[in-house]
Every structure is written in structure tokens, then in C-alpha cells.
Amino acid sequence: MSVSCLRCDQKLEEYRFTRLEFVPDGVGHGYVMLECARCGHVEFLSGKSPLLSELQPIPTFVGDGD
């Protein structure tokens, strides 16, 4: 099974963890972002999605700017 962009059908190989909250009070956290390198289309999935087993995580370095 492979994961492809819904817009242009480009095969996706990686994802990024996000800290977005779609629901008030922090109930909707734990999402990942898939971004197509070809067309720029972005999709959000649950961090528990079985589709992620086919993809590589992209390391995200977060700091306070120091």
C-alpha cells in the first residue's frame, strides 16, 4: 500500500508532526501533516492513522530562538 496526494496522485514518502488544535481545550491534538512536494497540497491526519506506517517522519526541531 502506498500513500498518494489526493490532488495530483504523487506518491508521498514523509510526514511532519504538528501541534494544531482543531477543537477547543486541546482535545483535538496529535495530528500529522502530509505535504505534496509536487503541487503543495496539504492534508492532516491523526497521529494514530495506519497510513503513517508507510511513511517516514521528518524531524522537527523546535526551540525558543536562542
Side-chain angles (χ1 to χ4, degrees), residues 34-66:
L34 303 177
E35 181 179 0
C36 178
R38 181 189 289 170
C39 72
H41 181 79
V42 174
E43 287 286 333
F44 294 95
L45 297 175
S46 167
K48 297 178 182 178
S49 173
L51 294 174
L52 298 180
S53 66
E54 302 292 322
L55 303 172
Q56 295 294 319
I58 297 174
T60 304
F61 301 101
V62 180
D64 61 1
D66 289 340

